[in-house]
Amino acid sequence: MTSIAPSTVQSAFSDKPDHWLQIDWKRVNRNVRGMQVRIAKATKEGDWRRVKALQRYLTRSLSGKALAVRRVTENQGKRTPGIDGVVWSTPTAKCNAIGALESRGYRPLPLRRVHIPKKNGKLRPLGIPTMKDRAMQALYLLALLPVSETIADRNSYGFRPERCTADAIEQCHKVLARSFSAQWVLEADIKGCFDNIDHQWLIDHVPMDKVVLRKWLKAGVVETGRLLPTEAGTPQGGIISPTLANLALDGLVGAMEAVFGAPGSRLAARTQVNVIRYADDFVITGCSKELLENEVKPLVVQFLAQRGLVLAPEKTRVNHIDDGFDFLGWNVRKYNGKLLIKPSKGNVKAFLDKVRGVIRVYKTATQENLIRQLNPIIRGWANYHRSQVASAVFSRADHLIWQSLWRWAKRRHPNKGARWVKKKYFHRIGNRDWTFAATLPTDVPQAQRKAQYRALVRASETKIRRHVKIRSDANPFDPADEFYFEERKSATMLDSVSHRHELVSLLKQQWGRCALCGESITRETGWHDHHLVYRVHGGGDQLFNRVLLHPVCHQQVHHLKLSVTKPAPQGVQ
């Protein structure tokens, strides 16, 4: 590998860099972000000619291409090839990929189709583009996302930056919780949304390069060695596909408001029609069953038909709020006039089935390995539901998991008594007995042990904490909302790692930013824990000897032998 002087990292990014680790990511992010802000501003002003010019400028910039390559080489699918079998796993390959992202003469290859199981037992087709096609989609998405965020429906929450399922369910609580709120809900789902969106509608209405978009839509798929044409839909698995689907469904709120009144109007107060959408799942509230079935539903059917879509009959129904409905893994229902949102029965069953499946697979594994497998599953499920009424469900889930673990332990020692099994696998930790915990070996350093046992986490240990819904009109590409998102991101980030006190302390010290490039650290970017004085040189694990860096920044520090210093306290220069 070519040796690079540290001074070259700060050199101008006017030509293709000579090495992947030469790139100044702080400058790259600043360049791309600046262009995205300008695109969003032009979109808000309705200057579509300027939007097109800025999009073209961004997709031809080296900064945009570098960021696109970085995204597809650092996400979960970075080791999954397309039909050409190519992956970009080396710095040289990544650097060469930047120069290969050109729209002139670009011809996307067909997608490699695989099938993944769905909850109902059916299979979902997944199209896997090649690395180059993924990078091209990521590049054009950089230019399209500011437009889609600016024109998006207010209460659309799926596949959008800074929004999540918790925001959607909080909006449901907002429009249904009061005594005078709507009593009827149209629960709807689109049949094969990604697979059936009309290509011509997308080409006519999506504000991006039409030639490139047409090539993606018509690229075809390879399944069991056969090349099949794509006449409709956008493939699940493409980076840009979720945004294209959102653009196709945006406008549903406007169509409803045109007929049933805008928020704050007398007509809206009387009809009580509200739309809450997450990707292709949505619910619409209304004052009566007749209104939803005879007026709202036909309007939805007409709106979707223009885009080549239809409702799924088996998943579309009108329910009274006293009977409740399931949405995004929760059950929303009023009990004696009080709205409670709990984990749905189907979601709880799927979670317990997953836990029991892991216990069956690891029936001969060590207790410590089983705990390592189960803890992320339990913690992730509990964190997903922590914002709603879930305490009773958490306790019941803990009990059922305990029963499965007791059977697992008894099976391993059929000739031992219950008291012996309990003493080996279940321990008293603090004031709680019967904790499934493995005794840590004595050769583990005391700094890493912190306790005598590695214990299974309990869902009931997760504290219930109400989620603060995002402002419906907040735009991450609008400078006026920058402070709002900075505050919100910091609070969310600190809350998501609250069980890891050391990381929380480091994030607070660094104001949630990378110690090298200064850009924000989020769950999407990931982070690495870097020791200022290397451990091989005698550095310890104390907080004053550690900083958080982005993964690629961490690579740069080690490759270029850069020195990183502890950030000064805020306000100190």
Side-chain angles (χ1 to χ4, degrees), residues 251-273:
L252 180 60
V253 171
M256 292 295 161
E257 291 180 356
V259 178
F260 303 106
S265 65
R266 291 184 178 180
L267 181 59
R270 186 170 68 251
T271 59
Q272 297 180 316
V273 173

Side-chain angles (χ1 to χ4, degrees), residues 29 31-44 58 67 71 141-152 159-163 243 470-471 473-485 489:
N29 282 288
N31 291 344
V32 172
R33 186 70 177 184
M35 285 184 276
Q36 288 179 320
V37 168
R38 293 168 65 188
I39 292 172
K41 182 174 182 291
T43 303
K44 191 174 182 179
L58 175 53
L67 206 57
R71 172 171 180 174
L141 180 60
L142 290 173
L144 181 61
L145 202 56
V147 180
S148 66
E149 282 299 299
T150 305
I151 65 176
F159 302 123
R160 294 182 61 190
E162 312 295 343
R163 285 164 169 79
T243 301
I470 192 171
R471 262 189 15 231
D473 60 346
N475 186 344
F477 300 102
D478 189 344
D481 292 328
E482 183 71 19
F483 182 72
Y484 170 76
F485 279 109
K489 184 179 293 185

Side-chain angles (χ1 to χ4, degrees), residues 520-531:
S520 296
I521 293 176
T522 67
R523 276 178 286 186
E524 288 76 17
T525 64
W527 60 82
H528 284 179
D529 190 353
H530 175 70
H531 288 69

